[in-house]
């Protein structure tokens, strides 16, 4: 067995710094709007703010734990078996998060249903393990995971805000629209998720395109 | 911000354009849309006669919102707002005529924005859309404001006009099994019943529709085959369930079938191109309408029938390419 | 090329080790949390029981707390009603028997599951202590059409079940006048007849399955005693 196979090519900590990783995850490489990762929870649990934020919290817990864990054992990873190790690590933390929710936030656990176990297949987490966790130190991995969690919070929070306010006239269950404003039932149904996400994505892209177009003129 | 000047390349010495090379220059989208608006006049007239101010308001709100939406979304896409091609007005008018008289103003307004925004602008504007914009808007408000558009919403006990206190014919048929006093066929044909604004009178739709077909602004195959499909499915439904109060003629004259056949299904953008394709499309629409009426919990099935058939229109087009004059041409690569 | 067997452990020792460590961690988490989770699930169902057996007037503004087999109902007036719950299974249905602490059964709550317009409807139906009347309906889970079919979870629809006779099947009708004309009629929801009918079918099937067995058990246990009259209308 060759020695070179033991270590990943970029095992030395020469990637972006922790601060760069943290900032990039929030807006410039926002997981929802720029990477288009983790679409399943973005569509499925954003009918209201409470389940959306519970999902963000559970995902953040798994993302941070798994990224730091992978970073700690990054020198032991074999390149061809790394995805297996990522999945194993993620699945463990997801199961812990699922049990914790069922024990201490039971109503939310019921509301989220199968979407908590499905965090295992959330591509944001495996992408961060692959891009950052398996290549950089634990502190950078932590900052990277935290930044992406905040980005995920912005993604889910914005979709859920649009859907809950339009669909139910509430935000976090608190009334924000007067009763005379009609409720758009479609927004809390599955088609509403696609429509809200598409419109927000269009808005983000449109905003991004603006300065460039000005520069061209 | 200021609109940037459109830069046009200097005219090339050799003019190359894709076919067709022989076109009737005055057969434009604008003329077609103007025809549709003209053909909608008898329908709108009957609507105003039956529903009075409710119809005027509903149609006005929808048309105004559709034009506004077209202007807004064109501006967002940095295009000139093509209000003068009248397509947005047609979408608004058809949407308005497909709504209940009782729907609040915001239903029409939001429906028109959904129709133009989600149904048309999102796909790239007129000619690019997969689904009939008016039906996208109708489906959107149907799900968003289910309570305002369900069968029961058409009926108001305190309404001033007696006709508005009666259930729509198809809700009646859906509601109670066995003995129902469905309106006779003659009132159904003339349109003297409750329902969505433009759907009540089969006669008015027929008059407007025949004008459209005569002007070639609508392909005659689509309405003919839509009605044939609905009749065929209704015959089968009647054979399977002889107790149903809806006879074949009821299926044809009640609800929005005539309106759908002549004005909605014939949208040239979202229906197939060849005569054979149009027949398949129309037949599918007709069968689906009756299927949805008899088997689903919705009393009427036009919206979903149209959207479903719109989604298979590209497939129909692919399957019904007409044979060129002189026989099929073998393309290089073995493709036919 | 390495023979597969020789390199097996050198390739996979990390995964095996992680598997063991993670497995151990999960065992620890599960052992600690599973009692809490089971209690949560039970409490969620038990919390609904008083509302299905006691009349709504008695529960207005009441606070319901669940601990083990006891449900404490603290009324707005300050007095506390202590209920004991016994759980059993009758004719394949989960049955909760509610009794005032140490007393005769106040009423029963049976769980019924059946298909709705979309997916299964899982509901609880209350039966009075004398098995003569239904005392309430609660839908535990459903996926009916929002704003139309999902009205089955709301009071205007549920009220038709409170006080309806348990001796005959419920009938779904379409007009309010018809529904008011006799007990045991349920007014169908507008544009959601299938959902309304599904709920009635599930309730009818559940009551028909459970009631004879309960009646037999009651007459065998206390042949002299008449069924206790509870507060439910």
């Amino acid at each position: 067995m060759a020695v070179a196979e033991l270590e990943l090519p970029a095992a030395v900590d020469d990637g972006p710094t922790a601060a760069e990783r943290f900032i990039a995850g929030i807006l410039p490489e926002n997981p929802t709007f720029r990477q288009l990762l983790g679409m399943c929870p973005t569509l499925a649990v954003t009918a209201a703010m409470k389940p959306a934020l519970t999902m963000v919290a559970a995902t953040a817990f798994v993302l941070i734990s798994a990224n730091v864990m992978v970073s700690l054992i990054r020198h032991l990873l074999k390149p061809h078996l790394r995805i297996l190790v990522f999945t194993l690590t993620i699945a463990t933390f997801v199961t812990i998060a699922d049990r914790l929710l069922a024990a201490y936030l039971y109503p939310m656990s019921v509301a989220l249903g199968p979407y908590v176990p499905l965090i295992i297949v959330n591509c944001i987490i495996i992408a961060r393990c692959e891009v950052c966790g398996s290549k950089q130190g634990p502190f950078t991995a932590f900052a990277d995971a935290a930044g992406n969690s905040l980005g995920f919070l912005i993604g889910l929070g914005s979709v859920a805000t649009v859907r809950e306010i339009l669909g139910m006239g509430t935000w976090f269950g608190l009334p924000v629209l007067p009763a005379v404003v009609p409720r758009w039932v479609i927004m809390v149904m599955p088609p509403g998720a696609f429509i809200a996400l598409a419109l927000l994505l269009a808005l983000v892209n449109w905003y991004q395109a603006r300065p460039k177009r000005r520069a061209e003129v | 911000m200021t609109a940037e000047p459109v830069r046009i390349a200097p005219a090339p010495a050799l003019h190359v354009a894709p076919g067709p090379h022989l076109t009737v220059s005055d057969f434009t989208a604008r003329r077609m849309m103007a025809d549709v608006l003209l053909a909608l006049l008898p329908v709108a007239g009957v609507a105003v006669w039956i529903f009075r101010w409710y119809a005027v308001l509903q149609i006005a709100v929808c048309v105004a919102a559709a034009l506004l939406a077209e202007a807004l979304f064109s501006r967002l896409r940095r295009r000139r707002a093509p209000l003068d091609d009248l397509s947005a007005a047609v979408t608004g008018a058809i949407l308005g005529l497909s709504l209940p008289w009782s729907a609040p103003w915001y239903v029409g307004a939001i429906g028109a924005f959904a129709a133009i925004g989600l149904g048309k602008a999102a796909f790239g504007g007129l000619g690019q859309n997969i689904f009939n914009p008016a039906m996208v808007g109708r489906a959107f408000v149907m799900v968003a404001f289910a309570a305002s558009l369900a069968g029961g919403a058409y009926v108001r006990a305190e309404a001033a006009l007696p006709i508005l206190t009666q259930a729509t014919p198809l809700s009646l048929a859906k509601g109670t099994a066995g003995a129902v006093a469905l309106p006779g066929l003659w009132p159904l044909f003339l349109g003297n019943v409750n329902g969505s604004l433009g759907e009540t009178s089969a006669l008015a739709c027929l008059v407007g529709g025949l004008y459209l077909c005569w002007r070639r602004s609508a392909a005659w195959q689509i309405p003919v085959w839509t009605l044939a499909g609905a009749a065929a499915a209704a015959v089968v439904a009647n054979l399977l369930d002889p107790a149903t109060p809806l006879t074949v003629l009821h299926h044809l004259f009640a609800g929005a079938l005539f309106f759908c056949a002549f004005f909605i299904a014939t949208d040239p953008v979202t229906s197939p191109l060849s005569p054979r394709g149009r027949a398949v499309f129309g037949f599918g629409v007709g069968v689906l309408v009756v299927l949805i009426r008899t088997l689903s919990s919705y009393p009427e099935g036009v919206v979903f029938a149209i959207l479903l058939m719109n989604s298979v229109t590209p497939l129909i087009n692919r399957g019904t390419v007409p044979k060129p004059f002189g026989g099929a041409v073998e393309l290089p690569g073995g493709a036919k | 090329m390495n023979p597969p067997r020789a390199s097996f452990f050198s390739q996979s020792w990390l995964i095996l080790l992680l598997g063991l460590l993670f497995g151990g961690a999960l065992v620890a988490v599960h052992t600690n949390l599973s009692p809490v989770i089971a209690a949560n699930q039970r409490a969620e169902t038990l919390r609904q029981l008083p509302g299905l057996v006691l009349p709504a007037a008695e529960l207005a503004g009441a606070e319901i707390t669940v601990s083990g087999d006891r449900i404490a109902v603290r009324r707005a007036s300050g007095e506390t009603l202590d209920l004991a719950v016994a759980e059993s299974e009758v004719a394949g249905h989960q049955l909760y028997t509610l009794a005032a602490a140490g007393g005769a059964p106040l009423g029963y709550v049976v769980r019924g599951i059946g298909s709705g317009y979309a997916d299964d409807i899982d509901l609880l139906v209350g039966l009075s202590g004398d098995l003569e009347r239904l005392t309430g309906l609660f839908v535990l889970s459903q996926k009916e059409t929002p704003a139309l079919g999902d009205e089955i979870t709301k009071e205007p629809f549920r009220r038709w079940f409170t006080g309806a006779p348990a001796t005959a099947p419920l009938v779904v009708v379409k007009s309010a006048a018809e529904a008011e004309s006799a007990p045991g009629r349920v007014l169908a929801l507008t544009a959601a007849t299938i959902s309304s009918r599904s709920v009635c079918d599930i309730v009818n099937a559940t009551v028909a399955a459970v009631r004879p067995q309960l009646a037999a058990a009651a007459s065998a246990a206390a042949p002299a005693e008449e069924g206790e009259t509870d507060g439910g209308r």
Side-chain angles (χ1 to χ4, degrees), chain B:
Chain B
M1 73 214 67
T2 50
E4 44 201 273
V6 183
R7 271 167 292 187
I8 301 166
L14 192 66
H15 185 72
V16 181
H21 303 289
L22 283 176
T23 50
V24 183
S25 57
D26 64 341
F27 195 75
T28 56
R30 185 188 150 81
R31 195 211 93 165
M32 207 173 213
M33 295 298 166
D35 272 351
V36 176
L37 284 181
L38 201 62
L40 281 172
L41 277 182
V43 181
V46 171
V48 172
W49 175 56
I50 295 176
F51 300 101
R52 308 291 152 97
W53 284 106
Y54 294 115
V56 178
L57 275 178
Q58 194 71 275
I59 299 169
V61 164
C62 286
V63 172
L67 291 173
L68 192 68
E70 179 90 332
L72 178 77
F73 289 116
S74 303
R75 193 181 159 75
L76 280 180
R77 296 171 54 233
R78 291 162 197 283
R79 302 278 162 86
R80 191 187 63 88
L83 295 184
D84 54 348
D85 73 8
L86 298 177
S87 66
V90 165
T91 300
I94 288 180
L95 176 71
L97 287 168
S98 74
L99 290 177
W101 62 273
S102 55
W105 64 270
Y106 57 77
V107 169
I110 292 170
F113 268 81
I116 302 290
L118 299 177
K120 203 167 84 175
F123 289 98
L126 183 67
Q128 310 289 324
N129 46 312
I130 303 171
F131 297 104
N132 187 318
M135 289 302 102
V136 171
R138 179 67 160 79
F140 186 89
V141 290
M142 224 167 131
V143 185
F145 309 107
S148 301
L149 284 106
Y154 290 83
V155 186
R156 293 270 174 81
E158 74 281 4
L161 302 166
I163 214 164
L164 306 183
T165 61
Q166 301 159 6
T168 63
L170 287 175
S171 303
L172 268 181
K174 186 111 255 170
T176 354
V180 234
L182 272 186
L185 287 173
W186 190 239
L188 277 179
F189 183 68
L190 288 180
N192 213 354
V193 290
N194 199 354
S196 295
L197 296 176
E199 71 175 20
T200 58
S201 171
L203 178 65
C205 296
L206 193 63
V207 171
L210 288 179
Y211 168 75
L212 271 189
C213 293
W214 172 69
R215 291 276 289 172
R216 305 257 174 117
S217 286
W220 62 269
Q221 294 96 342
I222 293 178
V224 165
W225 282 98
T226 302
L227 296 176
V235 167
V236 175
N238 273 299
L239 287 177
L240 293 178
D241 176 18
T244 176
L246 287 169
T247 64
V248 178
L249 286 177
H250 277 108
H251 267 300
L252 290 181
F253 294 152
L257 189 71
F258 265 72
F259 187 61
C260 155
F262 284 105
F263 294 102
I264 305 175
T266 50
D267 171 19
V269 176
T270 56
S271 58
L273 301 166
S274 70
R276 225 159 22 110
R278 285 168 179 161
V280 173
F281 177 85
F283 197 80
V285 169
V287 169
L288 280 173
V289 167
V290 172
L291 262 184
I292 296 173
R293 278 182 190 172
T294 35
L295 297 180
S296 84
S297 65
Y298 286 106
E300 176 61 298
V302 162
V303 175
F304 294 123
I306 291 282
L307 291 177
L308 281 169
M309 288 313 289
N310 282 166
S311 67
V312 295
T313 294
L315 277 180
I316 298 178
N317 271 337
R318 189 179 298 181
T320 56
V321 180
K323 248 187 215 150
F325 181 70
V329 182
E330 198 74 26
L331 290 179
K336 262 191 268 182

Side-chain angles (χ1 to χ4, degrees), chain C residues 4-222:
Chain C
R5 183 65 61 184
S7 66
F8 181 78
F9 282 107
S10 65
Q11 292 285 318
S12 65
W13 67 268
L14 179 64
I15 291 165
L16 293 176
L17 183 69
L18 284 178
L20 276 178
L21 284 178
F22 288 161
L26 288 184
V27 169
V29 169
H30 186 74
T31 336
N32 282 315
L33 295 184
S34 63
V36 188
I37 297 169
N40 279 341
Q41 287 167 343
R42 211 174 114 82
E44 185 69 16
T45 308
L46 293 195
R47 208 181 299 278
Q48 304 303 333
L49 299 187
L52 289 172
V53 169
L54 301 175
E58 278 189 38
L59 287 173
E63 203 177 292
I64 299 172
T65 44
V66 178
S67 58
D69 287 337
R70 296 278 164 174
I71 305 175
V73 181
R74 243 193 70 174
R75 297 221 181 94
S77 58
E79 55 173 325
T80 307
L81 185 66
D82 204 15
L83 300 170
V85 185
E87 228 174 303
S88 54
E89 199 176 296
V90 173
H93 291 273
Q94 229 172 336
L95 174 82
Y96 302 91
T97 311
L98 231 68
L106 275 174
Y108 305 92
V109 173
V110 201
R111 187 164 172 191
I113 301 175
S115 58
Y117 180 61
D119 213 336
D120 277 356
I121 298 176
D122 186 351
L123 51 77
L124 295 172
V125 56
L127 268 172
S128 63
D130 58 5
L131 300 174
E132 291 296 317
R133 282 165 297 109
L134 303 183
T135 50
L137 171 82
F138 183 81
V139 178
L140 286 172
S141 76
Q142 53 85 26
K143 292 200 175 63
E144 304 303 291
T145 322
L148 296 174
D150 75 351
E151 300 282 319
I152 57 168
T153 61
K154 308 224 173 108
E155 189 46 37
F157 179 72
R158 283 165 57 195
R159 78 178 177 95
W160 298 106
F161 294 84
T162 311
T167 43
L170 300 168
V171 182
V172 181
V173 295
K174 291 251 170 177
S175 79
E178 213 180 332
E180 300 282 3
S181 66
R185 305 275 171 87
V186 174
L187 177 63
L189 293 167
T190 314
T193 315
I194 299 176
S195 301
S196 319
R197 204 165 279 150
S198 305
V199 171
C200 280
D201 288 347
I202 299 168
V203 169
N204 287 340
T206 308
V207 171
V210 169
R211 193 171 168 274
Q213 301 212 17
L214 279 180
S219 61

Side-chain angles (χ1 to χ4, degrees), chain A residues 182-187 189 195 199 206 210 213-214 217, chain B residues 1 4 76 78 106 110 118 139-141 143-146:
Chain A
R183 305 289 184 257
W184 305 27
V185 184
I186 194 173
M187 294 313 284
M189 292 171 67
I195 294 170
L199 292 181
W206 178 72
R210 271 171 51 135
R213 197 166 276 150
R214 273 212 185 134
V217 173
Chain B
M1 73 214 67
E4 44 201 273
L76 280 180
R78 291 162 197 283
Y106 57 77
I110 292 170
L118 299 177
F140 186 89
V141 290
V143 185
F145 309 107

Side-chain angles (χ1 to χ4, degrees), chain A:
Chain A
M1 176 172 39
V3 181
E5 201 186 313
L6 276 173
E7 285 187 347
L8 291 169
V12 271
D13 208 343
D14 59 354
T17 64
E20 283 166 359
R21 286 284 195 198
F22 181 75
I23 300 291
I26 303 177
L27 283 179
E29 290 173 24
N30 185 291
T32 306
F33 292 124
R34 305 255 38 114
Q35 301 183 51
L36 291 183
L37 291 180
M39 288 293 108
C40 159
T42 313
L43 295 170
V45 300
T46 49
M49 280 306 272
K50 276 183 191 171
L53 289 206
T54 313
M55 171 55 77
V56 170
T59 311
F61 165 76
V62 178
L63 179 53
I64 294 173
S65 313
N67 218 18
V68 171
M69 184 78 194
V70 166
S71 171
L72 286 173
I73 57 171
R74 69 190 188 280
H75 296 295
L76 307 170
L77 288 175
K78 299 197 180 7
H80 62 292
L81 293 177
R82 67 190 192 285
I83 302 286
L84 192 53
V85 174
F86 298 165
T87 318
L88 192 66
T89 315
I90 295 166
T92 307
F93 286 113
V94 168
T95 313
I96 294 174
D98 181 43
R99 298 289 84 189
L100 282 172
L101 275 183
Y104 300 113
L105 267 178
Y106 186 69
M108 277 298 119
S109 168
V110 173
L112 291 174
Y115 295 105
V116 178
L118 280 175
I119 296 175
I120 294 175
V121 291
N122 188 318
C123 346
I124 299 175
I125 304 174
I126 215 156
R128 289 344 287 174
C129 290
E130 172 77 7
V131 171
C132 178
S134 61
K135 292 177 183 151
Q136 295 184 286
F139 181 69
T140 315
F142 174 83
D144 180 66
N148 273 277
S149 300
L150 280 177
F152 194 52
L153 171 71
I154 293 172
L156 258 65
S158 56
V159 177
T161 300
V162 171
R163 293 183 65 193
E164 187 177 350
I165 291 181
L166 284 181
M168 289 184 279
T170 59
W171 202 57
F172 284 105
L174 301 170
V176 291
L177 288 184
V180 291
V181 180
R183 305 289 184 257
W184 305 27
V185 184
I186 194 173
M187 294 313 284
V188 293
M189 292 171 67
F194 287 94
I195 294 170
L197 177 65
L199 292 181
L200 285 171
L201 265 174
L203 194 71
V204 169
N205 286 340
W206 178 72
Y207 186 80
Q208 283 264 324
R210 271 171 51 135
K212 274 183 212 158
R213 197 166 276 150
R214 273 212 185 134
E216 276 170 24
V217 173

